[in-house]
Amino acid sequence: MAKGVISAIDQAEQLKQDGNSYFKKNRLGAAIDAYTEAITLCPNIPVYWTNRALCHRKRNDWARVEQDCLKAIQLDYKSVKGHYMFGLALLRKEKYAQGIKELQRALDLGRGAHPNSYMVEEIWQELATAKYGEWDRDSTKRNWDLRNLEESCQIALKEKHLCDASITEDDRNEITSSTSEQLAALKLVFSKAAEDDTPTEVPDYLCCKITLDIFRDPVITPSGLTYERAIILNHLDKVGKFDPTTRETLLPSQLIPNLAIKDAVEAFLEKHGWAYKTE
């Protein structure tokens, strides 16, 4: 019995390797078949499900991506790829709130397990794009509602007194002048109301000095300077063990997460609805 179980696991692993090989050659149908056979043999291994989901993703078959990722998450709630691709599938259905929640979960899990991996950066970019999409959709509706309300207020204000035929011409001129002032004030009020739906530039202190892009995972050096973790680690590994700005000796072990800047970035992006769209 034990030998049979071991044999099934070994066979499933070989099928996974075959699937990986097919995937790299873009033979998606063959890869899906291989992963499906592996799942049939060992249905409780989440990576088989996420690997097959990745194939479905490349085929833009989002319904199957969602199904496979849900199963992977049921088997392992800490599956980064499971939450990530499930989130992407939800976004394709324009379920922004749920999709963003899944991407955020994937990002948190990814940062905890592999903070410097390419996938963390990819998830962050997708999350930014998703939040921008949600903001764009919601802000468009809000702007439309505001314009309609402003027009209604303008019409009501203009008609408030001028519809009275008994008033004199002098009174009418005075009312017209007063109405113009009120219309200008009204325009200012609605302009102020629309400010939060206007994209804004990111403050310099929230951007890495090397990439000039907004921080994802900021770390601070002993000299008090803050850099993007992946970028400064790459500098220390390939250029030299020194601070690129001060030229002082710097080791990876001296880097400390800059939680204040990280919180400031999150606050900025939340306030502006992630209206800053990353490149």
Side-chain angles (χ1 to χ4, degrees):
M1 182 69 178
K3 289 184 178 180
V5 172
I6 293 173
S7 177
I9 293 174
D10 289 343
Q11 188 176 351
E13 279 297 301
Q14 182 58 56
L15 285 165
K16 185 191 81 168
Q17 296 303 322
D18 292 344
N20 293 349
S21 179
Y22 291 137
F23 182 83
K24 289 176 182 177
K25 297 174 182 177
N26 207 35
R27 295 178 57 188
L28 300 180
I32 289 172
D33 289 342
Y35 294 137
T36 300
E37 287 188 56
I39 288 169
T40 301
L41 289 168
C42 298
N44 295 325
I45 299 181
V47 69
Y48 300 163
W49 295 90
T50 53
N51 281 9
R52 190 171 70 174
L54 188 57
C55 296
H56 294 317
R57 178 187 173 187
K58 291 202 71 172
R59 284 183 160 185
N60 287 316
D61 190 345
W62 293 101
R64 286 191 169 87
V65 170
E66 182 176 348
Q67 292 170 3
D68 282 358
C69 289
L70 274 173
K71 183 62 178 180
I73 293 170
Q74 289 173 1
L75 294 171
D76 178 14
Y77 192 66
K78 294 184 178 181
S79 172
V80 176
K81 291 182 179 180
H83 286 286
Y84 175 40
M85 288 188 286
F86 180 40
L88 294 180
L90 290 170
L91 292 175
R92 293 308 182 282
K93 296 163 68 174
E94 296 188 356
K95 293 186 175 182
Y96 284 103
Q98 292 173 264
I100 287 170
K101 181 179 179 181
E102 291 298 322
L103 291 185
Q104 186 65 62
R105 176 65 179 168
L107 182 62
D108 292 341
L109 288 169
R111 280 176 169 167
H114 308 287
N116 300 319
S117 73
Y118 78 91
M119 178 164 279
V120 169
E121 173 67 12
E122 181 181 324
I123 295 171
W124 199 98
Q125 292 286 348
E126 289 287 355
L127 181 58
T129 300
K131 288 199 171 185
Y132 180 87
E134 182 183 43
W135 169 84
D136 189 46
R137 180 199 63 183
D138 293 344
S139 66
T140 298
K141 183 180 184 303
R142 283 193 297 269
N143 280 327
W144 179 259
D145 291 342
L146 275 175
R147 281 198 297 270
N148 287 338
L149 180 59
E150 183 178 6
E151 288 177 4
S152 297
C153 290
Q154 288 174 343
I155 293 171
L157 191 58
K158 290 175 182 177
E159 294 179 346
K160 181 178 179 181
H161 298 293
L162 297 182
C163 61
D164 187 352
S166 65
I167 62 176
T168 66
E169 187 63 29
D170 288 341
D171 289 338
R172 190 177 297 278
N173 291 335
E174 184 178 343
I175 290 172
T176 299
S177 176
S178 176
T179 300
S180 296
E181 293 177 2
Q182 291 176 336
L183 285 171
L186 186 68
K187 186 176 183 63
L188 183 61
V189 168
F190 278 95
S191 176
K192 186 70 176 177
E195 281 185 1
D196 284 345
D197 287 324
T198 303
T200 184
E201 292 296 322
V202 181
D204 289 342
Y205 72 92
L206 296 183
C207 298
C208 177
K209 295 180 181 297
I210 299 176
T211 66
L212 302 181
D213 197 7
I214 194 166
F215 283 117
R216 277 80 159 167
D217 188 12
V219 291
I220 190 169
T221 68
S223 62
L225 296 173
T226 299
Y227 299 100
E228 181 65 28
R229 181 189 295 275
I231 301 301
I232 190 63
L233 287 175
N234 184 64
H235 167 85
L236 297 178
D237 180 52
K238 296 183 177 178
V239 181
K241 300 295 191 294
F242 60 89
D243 188 307
T245 302
T246 66
R247 314 296 289 185
E248 296 176 0
T249 299
L250 179 63
L251 302 175
S253 60
Q254 294 177 288
L255 300 175
I256 299 173
N258 192 331
L259 300 181
I261 289 295
K262 184 176 180 181
D263 289 343
V265 167
E266 293 293 336
F268 174 86
L269 294 176
E270 287 299 328
K271 178 180 179 181
H272 298 284
W274 288 67
Y276 168 73
K277 186 174 168 63
T278 56
E279 297 297 332

